[in-house]
Amino acid sequence: MNEVSLFRLYLLRAMYLLIVVGLGIVVWPGVIHHAKSWELMGGVVTCMLAAFSALSVLGLRYPLQMLPLLLWELVWKSIWLIVVALPLWSAGTMDESTRSIAVTVLWVVIIPFVIPWHYVFAHYVKKSGDRWCLFPGRPASAGSR
């Protein structure tokens, strides 16, 4: 029995494709053809977004295995909106640059509708984790198997 419907798999693939195409248009030209050196944080952000889009290509083939990528995207954008954008907006002090980023980051509202939460709960919350090996090379006792 497949735990995630084919429709949901295609929704995930569509999300990964949106990321690949969107960041492919916006980020990759600057990565491939950058003429001058980047500022520190600008370079970090650009390279992280390029890596995110490159890994999203794997999501087209392996949508469930790459779910942590979408969860990471959901979490960091939610944190940024709550900790950075919301206080500025509620105080009426949000500048145009921050507003522009907030509008872009608000696309995160799509992700919760695409993620198969029953699968996430079953595989990341309920399922027992991999065992820890504190002493490599030492055989595990019979009771820990």
Side-chain angles (χ1 to χ4, degrees):
M1 177 178 130
N2 193 356
E3 296 178 10
V4 177
S5 71
L6 185 59
F7 176 74
R8 185 56 65 108
L9 291 174
Y10 279 114
L11 276 179
L12 284 168
R13 286 184 172 111
M15 186 77 227
Y16 292 116
L17 184 62
L18 178 66
I19 293 165
V20 169
V21 171
L23 291 178
I25 291 169
V26 174
V27 173
W28 278 101
V31 170
I32 295 169
H33 302 293
H34 71 282
K36 58 181 182 171
S37 61
W38 288 317
E39 295 177 16
L40 176 61
M41 287 312 295
V44 168
V45 169
T46 301
C47 291
M48 286 182 69
L49 289 172
F52 178 58
S53 68
L55 289 171
S56 291
V57 171
L58 291 174
L60 296 171
R61 182 168 177 147
Y62 307 107
L64 294 176
Q65 289 89 330
M66 296 307 292
L67 268 175
L69 196 60
L70 292 181
L71 294 172
W72 175 79
E73 180 79 346
L74 176 64
V75 170
W76 88 255
K77 284 185 174 183
S78 298
I79 292 170
W80 188 87
L81 286 167
I82 293 166
V83 173
V84 177
L86 185 60
L88 292 173
W89 177 76
S90 63
T93 57
M94 184 181 283
D95 62 8
E96 191 54 42
S97 175
T98 308
R99 183 175 283 106
S100 174
I101 292 171
V103 168
T104 303
V105 169
L106 275 170
W107 279 92
V108 76
V109 299
I110 297 171
I111 295 175
F113 297 104
V114 173
I115 292 176
W117 290 106
H118 68 281
Y119 181 90
V120 169
F121 185 75
H123 287 84
Y124 296 107
V125 178
K126 283 183 69 177
K127 185 177 175 183
S128 60
D130 296 332
R131 65 183 173 90
W132 292 71
C133 183
L134 297 176
F135 303 104
R138 192 171 167 194
S141 65
S144 66
R145 290 185 188 171

